[in-house]
Amino acid sequence: MTDCIFCKIINQEIPSYKVYEDDKVYAFLDITQVTKGHTLLVPKKHVTDIFEYDPALAGEVFARVPKVAQALEKAFPEIEGMNIINNNKELAYQSVFHSHIHLIPRYSKEDDFSIHFGNHQEDYSSEQMQEIAEKIAKQVTNA
Ligand code: AMP
Ligand code: ZN
């Protein structure tokens, strides 16, 4: 895609701090470095977000996540954990519309990263939970 910043990075039209590359993916340091080593893994094929993946592309990209995660862990043995995040669409904080996976190493509770999972368990009866699960399951089967 001509007007995509990550396509331009993949094509070496703009610089990046490359971590890994093969025929399917490109990995490079996120410029903001939420924590040291914060890396983005992107498919070379331009897809906007998770909703555009097919199983083959998903296999190619997600199979490489552990490779980069393990490299980070070896490079920085002080890593104590890692958040792996994939934002899809503006509402979900996506700001670059070429799909990418964030690998954010965690060093301590005080590092500059946070995530909040609200708990709304009390809002749903077991019948409602079952209904929601079935509604999704039906679509998984049909996909
Ligand atoms: P998201 O908000 O999930 O779409 O993430 C996009 C990420 O791309 C942000 O964390 C940015 O810091 C990062 N980013 C944008 N432009 C560049 C660039 N030229 N080089 C490296 N990272 C970038
Ligand atoms: Zn792109």
Side-chain angles (χ1 to χ4, degrees):
M1 203 193 206
T2 46
D3 208 23
C4 168
I5 190 166
F6 286 177
C7 283
K8 285 181 180 159
I9 285 176
I10 293 162
N11 296 329
Q12 313 292 322
E13 288 165 32
I14 58 173
S16 68
Y17 298 97
K18 182 167 82 173
V19 164
Y20 175 74
E21 179 178 16
D22 62 27
D23 56 332
K24 302 296 182 193
V25 302
Y26 192 91
F28 57 104
L29 294 184
D30 189 299
I31 204 71
T32 58
Q33 289 297 282
V34 168
T35 63
K36 184 177 66 183
H38 175 191
T39 295
L40 299 174
L41 175 66
V42 308
K44 285 193 167 175
K45 178 183 160 76
H46 179 96
V47 285
T48 305
D49 56 41
I50 196 74
F51 304 108
E52 282 188 8
Y53 280 70
D54 60 26
L57 184 66
E60 289 163 6
V61 175
F62 289 93
R64 285 155 171 91
V65 173
K67 190 190 277 287
V68 179
Q70 289 158 14
L72 279 161
E73 197 193 29
K74 281 192 197 140
F76 305 112
E78 66 272 31
I79 285 175
E80 298 266 346
M82 188 172 297
N83 289 97
I84 296 178
I85 295 175
N86 167 233
N87 299 327
N88 297 281
K89 303 204 184 287
E90 205 174 339
L91 180 69
Y93 308 126
Q94 185 175 7
S95 62
V96 175
F97 296 94
H98 178 133
S99 179
H100 51 278
I101 297 167
H102 293 261
L103 293 96
I104 304 176
R106 302 298 308 280
Y107 299 92
S108 80
K109 286 185 178 167
E110 283 73 46
D111 59 22
D112 193 18
F113 177 86
S114 65
I115 192 164
H116 172 75
F117 285 87
N119 186 342
H120 298 274
Q121 192 176 350
E122 287 176 0
D123 297 348
Y124 297 91
S125 66
S126 59
E127 290 78 17
Q128 285 172 314
M129 293 289 273
Q130 188 59 34
E131 202 179 300
I132 292 167
E134 281 171 15
K135 196 167 180 177
I136 301 165
K138 214 155 58 179
Q139 296 302 328
V140 174
T141 318
N142 294 341

